[in-house]
């Protein structure tokens, strides 16, 4: 591996071969109608929850499927005996409790070595009492814990006016869709069928039925926490006295909310937790398995399964719009014969734009016309800004090359929606506007700290990149000027920016450097120089870049290194090139790293998780990231090296 500052120029012939092999490999994953969709692998909690859901409902046992899920769960068990949230990660209590429970439910003996190790790991860390709120709700329904162990979630919240501090529209889309059916469950307090009668009392150091409320979470402040805990005690006392009619009306309102958004087999919110909660809700109402809303949602959950010869797991959702849009960018960058598949991918994306339905976002922005894309095949109530910006930029790139006007309307509507979705602090969030009610992260239910969808650096960068690529500058557009100001404010002292949806500061910094370049910020601006110096300073000795999920810890002190990955290396390279560093030796070393780690098939192996569902709680491994990002970086390097103009002329 090359090292030091005197690297030879990258060999163009081998670079070309590398790009061509990667392009062919990516084309091999295309679906027959021109789109791409890759596996989206969560941590072990979702497959474990899927198993427990089947036993909750008392469904016939599918022993072949369960055996495959058990193989998966046993394989990802950590050296510490428990289950981590990322590959090689630290022990996580809730994941470990769920996986142990699922394996026991499937039929693994409690005396099997892997179960003994798991139990010891859990007990040596204080036992199942340290499970998070979501896990406790599940354990309460399985009668392992009592309902005293979970916060009171009065369904009457559904009737509160918008000005109240607890309105359902003051939390994020994922929390909203998850909580509404969960509040119904909390009101009805159903019991799991659990035909095998499996319990996990052995994971507790005390009688689990004696366990009360959760402790304060590390992100919560004592003052707020004490206030909300007192409120919880009062509500617990009053709840049995709430008028029955009021409760019935609140449940009715919740069901109305859910049924409008059921979204066919794509499911409520098109993500696993709300869909599973909705199925359990119908079960609690006594609706039979063939009751259409229940049956359709239940089929949707099975569509999230990835079943292989020996293993199976359940995805949290699917990512076709995101995968297709990013694959199209990589193809456009590769150029030549890859342009046609890119065009076909965009033609598949075009009708997916949500043009007629105003989703939940419209509560805060009633006068903005819809025009976004969702992340999944269908999720019209919840389009997201990141996808929309990435799709619009890809369409604009093809439009520039072809001169055709076929995407003009789609681009204009996407842009109009994103401009209308800017938060008042100048940033952009993923799904909502001005979702800044930070006090809500202190309610007992929010021990995960992921109740809100505030503006973030990475999504802000993407929206800024899009506006800039479409010709706006800080001089011509208030939206761009405010966005740039937001990014100036949020840069860390070390020079990096936070990455909310990708891991982590490498992802955020790549996103922002692309945006600043597109917005015409001088490459010599101190903000850009600091970011470049930071990226170069954290390059691994092998020439690649890697960053660990630990970087999301609340007391972040600086970069948390990890083994190099192809996706994080590609982000660092794309960021450096956007900042004008094409000829920097660090870039040549990164390119060599990608070339030397490419497999025979033209792809990259990437076992590590490099994306984020919720910081500190839930991480993702996008199987597509190692297929399109490295190709994109290599092709970008070739394109910039072979011209006299070394400037990246697009938003990302």
């Amino acid at each position: 591996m090359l090292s030091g500052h005197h690297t030879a120029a990258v060999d163009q012939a081998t670079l070309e071969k590398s790009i061509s092999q990667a392009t062919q490999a990516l084309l091999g994953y295309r679906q027959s109608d021109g789109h791409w969709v890759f596996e989206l692998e969560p941590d072990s909690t979702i497959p474990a929850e899927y198993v427990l859901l089947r036993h909750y409902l008392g469904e016939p046992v599918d022993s072949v499927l369960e055996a495959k899920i058990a193989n998966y769960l046993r394989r990802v068990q950590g050296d510490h005996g428990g289950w981590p949230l990322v590959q090689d990660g630290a022990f996580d209590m809730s994941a470990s409790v769920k996986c142990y429970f699922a394996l026991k439910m499937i039929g693994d003996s409690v005396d099997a070595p892997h179960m003994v190790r798991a139990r010891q790991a859990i007990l040596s860390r204080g036992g199942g009492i340290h499970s998070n709120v979501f896990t406790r709700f599940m354990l309460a329904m399985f009668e392992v814990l009592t309902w005293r162990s979970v916060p009171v979630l009065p369904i009457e919240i559904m009737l509160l006016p918008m000005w109240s501090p607890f309105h359902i529209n003051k939390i994020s889309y994922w929390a909203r869709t998850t909580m509404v059916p969960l509040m119904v469950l909390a009101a009805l307090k159903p019991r799991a069928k659990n035909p095998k009668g499996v319990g996990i009392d052995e994971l507790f150091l005390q009688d689990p039925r004696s366990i009360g409320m959760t402790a304060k979470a590390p992100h919560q402040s004592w003052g707020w926490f004490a206030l909300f805990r007192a409120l919880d005690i009062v509500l617990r006392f009053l709840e049995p006295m709430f008028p029955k009619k009021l409760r019935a009306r609140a449940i009715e309102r919740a069901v109305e909310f859910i049924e409008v958004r059921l979204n066919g087999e794509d499911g409520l919110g098109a993500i696993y937790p709300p869909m599973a909660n909705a199925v359990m809700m119908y079960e609690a109402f006594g609706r039979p398995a063939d009751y259409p809303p229940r049956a359709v949602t239940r089929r949707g959950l099975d569509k999230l399964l990835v079943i292989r010869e020996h293993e199976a797991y359940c995805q949290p959702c699917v990512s076709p719009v995101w995968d297709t849009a990013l694959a199209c960018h990589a193809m456009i960058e590769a150029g030549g014969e890859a342009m046609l598949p890119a065009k076909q991918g965009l033609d598949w994306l075009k009708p997916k734009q949500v043009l007629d339905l105003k989703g939940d976002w419209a509560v805060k922005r009633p006068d903005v016309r819809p025009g976004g894309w969702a992340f999944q095949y269908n999720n019209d109530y919840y389009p997201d800004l990141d996808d929309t910006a990435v799709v619009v930029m890809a369409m604009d790139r093809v439009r520039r090359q072809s001169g055709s006007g076929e995407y003009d309307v789609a681009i204009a509507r996407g842009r109009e929606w994103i401009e209308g979705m800017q938060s008042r602090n100048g940033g952009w969030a993923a799904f909502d506007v001005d979702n800044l009610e930070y006090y809500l992260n202190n309610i007992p239910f929010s021990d995960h700290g992921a109740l809100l969808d505030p503006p973030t650096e990475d999504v802000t960068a993407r929206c800024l990149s899009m506006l800039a690529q479409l010709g706006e500058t800080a001089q011509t557009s208030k939206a761009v000027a405010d966005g740039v100001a937001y990014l100036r404010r949020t840069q860390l002292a070390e020079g990096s920016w936070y990455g909310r949806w990708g891991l982590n500061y490498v992802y955020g910094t790549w996103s922002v450097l692309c945006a600043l370049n597109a917005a015409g910020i001088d490459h010599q601006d101190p903000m850009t120089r600091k970011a470049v110096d930071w990226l170069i300073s954290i390059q691994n000795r092998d020439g690649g870049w890697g960053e660990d999920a630990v970087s999301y810890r609340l007391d972040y002190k600086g970069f948390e290194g990890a083994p190099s990955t192809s996706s994080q290396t590609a982000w660092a390279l794309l960021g450096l090139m956007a900042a004008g560093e094409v000829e920097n030796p660090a870039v040549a070393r990164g390119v060599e790293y990608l070339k030397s780690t490419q497999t025979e098939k033209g792809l990259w192996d990437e076992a590590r998780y490099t994306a984020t569902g919720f910081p500190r709680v839930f991480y993702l491994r996008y199987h597509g990231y190692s297929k399109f990002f490295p190709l994109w970086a290599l092709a970008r390097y070739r394109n910039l090296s072979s011209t006299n103009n070394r400037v990246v002329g697009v938003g990302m």
Side-chain angles (χ1 to χ4, degrees):
M1 197 40 64
L2 296 165
S3 65
H5 285 288
H6 305 288
T7 44
V10 172
D11 178 60
Q12 290 298 317
T14 57
L15 177 61
E16 205 53 65
K17 183 175 170 222
S18 199
I19 292 168
S20 155
Q21 285 180 319
T23 306
Q24 288 312 309
L26 183 54
L27 280 172
Y29 281 92
R30 215 161 47 122
Q31 305 294 312
S32 56
D33 60 1
H35 83 282
W36 280 269
V37 61
F38 293 98
E39 288 177 38
L40 180 50
E41 189 176 351
D43 58 49
S44 53
T45 53
I46 302 270
E49 284 173 26
Y50 175 82
V51 170
L52 294 167
L53 175 70
R54 293 188 68 128
H55 289 264
Y56 175 94
L57 298 167
E59 292 178 352
V61 171
D62 180 339
S63 51
V64 177
L65 176 61
E66 286 198 349
K68 289 182 177 188
I69 293 177
N71 286 341
Y72 177 87
L73 292 177
R74 289 192 288 259
R75 176 173 64 80
V76 299
Q77 186 175 9
D79 292 339
H80 39 61
W83 278 264
L85 298 179
V86 290
Q87 195 218 15
D88 299 334
F91 171 94
D92 182 80
M93 182 60 78
S94 294
S96 302
V97 167
K98 282 177 182 166
C99 290
Y100 179 96
F101 197 2
L103 287 170
K104 188 175 176 184
M105 196 65 91
I106 289 167
D108 283 14
S109 161
V110 293
D111 299 322
H114 66 282
M115 296 292 274
V116 173
R117 277 177 46 229
R119 194 162 59 247
Q120 286 170 345
I122 290 167
L123 292 172
S124 70
R125 290 167 174 83
I129 191 170
H130 297 299
S131 298
N132 65 21
V133 166
F134 281 116
T135 307
R136 285 167 170 243
F137 269 101
M138 186 196 76
L139 295 178
M141 290 188 278
F142 273 96
E143 297 177 275
V144 174
L145 300 175
T146 69
W147 289 91
R148 282 197 314 280
S149 68
V150 297
V152 178
L153 273 188
I155 185 71
E156 289 75 12
I157 288 173
M158 292 303 299
L159 305 172
L160 292 173
M162 189 64 194
W163 52 260
S164 92
F166 295 110
H167 195 275
I168 199 77
N169 277 306
K170 291 189 174 164
I171 56 176
S172 65
Y173 120 71
W174 57 85
R176 196 179 312 140
T177 50
T178 300
M179 266 177 84
V180 173
L182 189 61
M183 289 193 299
V184 177
L185 291 168
L188 300 175
K189 301 189 174 38
R191 293 202 293 233
K193 290 207 170 143
N194 192 5
K196 289 183 172 180
V198 176
I200 48 167
D201 286 14
E202 68 269 23
L203 297 185
F204 294 84
L205 295 171
Q206 61 282 88
D207 174 3
R209 282 150 209 82
S210 70
I211 290 174
M213 273 284 286
T214 48
K216 182 182 88 68
H219 67 271
Q220 296 178 330
S221 85
W222 274 114
W224 278 112
F225 180 77
L227 174 69
F228 288 129
R229 173 56 65 87
L231 191 61
D232 187 84
I233 292 166
V234 172
L235 282 170
R236 210 174 283 276
F237 175 72
L238 292 177
E239 199 182 21
M241 306 171 210
F242 284 168
K244 294 269 188 297
K245 273 190 172 156
L246 190 69
R247 174 135 290 194
R249 210 170 87 225
I251 289 177
E252 201 178 307
R253 179 78 56 86
V255 173
E256 274 167 26
F257 174 93
I258 290 162
E259 297 204 324
V260 167
R261 294 166 180 74
L262 273 178
N263 196 27
E265 285 187 3
D266 294 284
L268 176 62
I271 46 178
Y272 180 92
M275 292 163 70
N277 287 347
V279 171
M280 290 191 284
M281 178 191 81
Y282 286 121
E283 163 73 23
F285 286 147
R287 301 279 191 274
D290 59 359
Y291 176 65
R294 173 177 167 175
V296 170
T297 305
R298 179 66 191 84
R299 281 202 303 277
L301 289 168
D302 281 347
K303 285 175 76 173
L304 295 174
L305 293 169
V306 172
I307 303 174
R308 297 210 183 88
E309 195 182 347
H310 300 295
E311 286 190 352
Y313 71 89
C314 186
Q315 304 174 98
C317 63
V318 289
S319 52
V321 171
W322 186 238
D323 290 340
T324 302
L326 292 168
C328 286
H329 276 278
M331 287 284 161
I332 293 165
E333 203 66 49
E337 58 201 46
M339 285 304 292
L340 181 62
K343 169 92 177 54
Q344 290 164 336
L346 294 176
D347 290 343
W348 179 84
L349 283 166
K350 194 175 159 189
K352 296 264 174 229
Q353 189 174 23
V354 183
L355 294 168
D356 44 8
L357 181 94
K358 286 192 170 187
D360 289 4
W361 54 267
V363 170
K364 298 256 182 102
R365 287 288 187 271
D367 302 329
V368 174
R369 285 200 301 174
W373 276 264
F375 180 79
Q376 304 92 343
Y377 286 105
N378 295 294
N379 193 11
D380 286 2
Y381 271 86
Y382 305 107
D384 77 278
L385 286 82
D386 216 349
D387 277 273
T388 303
V390 173
V391 172
V392 167
M393 285 188 271
M395 287 180 165
D396 178 63
R397 290 181 73 174
V398 167
R399 171 171 75 173
R400 287 184 189 191
Q401 296 203 359
S402 67
S404 137
E406 63 188 302
Y407 301 127
D408 287 2
V409 175
I411 290 170
R413 285 292 293 272
R415 170 193 187 153
E416 181 185 329
W417 184 66
I418 281 188
E419 283 186 322
M421 291 289 287
Q422 189 172 21
S423 286
R424 54 178 180 264
N425 65 4
W428 279 270
F431 302 91
D432 280 294
V433 184
D434 290 331
N435 187 201
L436 301 163
E437 287 83 1
Y438 287 105
Y439 60 87
L440 288 172
N441 274 329
N442 294 286
I443 65 172
F445 179 78
S446 182
D447 63 344
H448 48 72
L451 211 57
L452 303 180
D453 178 18
T456 57
E457 294 83 322
D458 46 351
V459 180
T460 300
R462 208 88 64 222
C463 295
L464 204 54
S465 284
M466 181 207 77
L467 291 174
Q469 185 177 311
L470 296 177
E472 293 295 350
T473 64
Q475 286 70 46
T476 63
S477 154
K478 182 178 175 346
V480 170
D482 290 352
V484 171
Y486 172 88
L487 294 175
R488 269 195 199 281
R489 285 201 307 278
T490 51
Q491 185 176 26
L492 294 191
E494 65 180 21
S496 70
W497 282 271
Y498 177 72
R500 161 67 181 82
W501 297 97
L503 225 158
N504 170 346
Y505 294 96
V506 173
Y507 182 90
T509 305
W510 154 61
S511 305
V512 174
L513 284 174
C514 289
L516 297 178
N517 169 66
I521 303 297
D522 192 316
H523 290 164
Q524 298 310 313
D525 186 291
M527 167 166 60
T528 300
R529 295 323 316 152
K530 259 172 84 171
V532 165
D533 291 344
W534 178 77
L535 274 176
I536 292 170
S537 75
I538 61 162
Q539 186 173 22
N540 283 336
R541 294 189 61 162
D542 60 11
W545 277 264
E547 186 176 2
D548 198 274
V550 180
S551 65
Y552 284 107
R553 62 193 201 172
L554 292 167
D555 59 342
Y556 179 72
K557 306 250 188 339
F559 181 67
E560 300 276 357
S564 300
T565 64
S566 60
S567 56
Q568 289 167 317
T569 300
W571 299 335
L573 289 171
L574 289 164
L576 288 170
M577 289 188 277
E581 298 293 320
V582 183
E583 289 168 4
N584 194 306
V587 170
R589 288 208 304 280
V591 168
E592 285 299 344
Y593 169 81
L594 288 179
K595 281 169 57 188
S596 67
T597 51
Q598 193 175 15
T599 66
E600 305 277 296
K601 295 179 178 160
L603 296 167
W604 286 264
D605 290 328
E606 185 164 288
R608 294 184 70 83
Y609 284 56
T610 63
T612 313
F614 306 110
R616 299 180 297 285
V617 182
F618 187 65
Y619 297 98
L620 299 164
R621 182 179 161 217
Y622 284 88
H623 288 220
Y625 277 16
S626 58
K627 298 176 178 71
F628 40 71
F629 281 122
L631 165 60
W632 189 345
L634 291 174
R636 167 84 35 99
Y637 179 77
R638 172 202 65 191
N639 297 345
L640 291 174
S641 308
S642 58
T643 106
N644 290 331
N645 175 12
R646 300 289 164 99
V647 175
V648 175
V650 289
M652 67 187 290

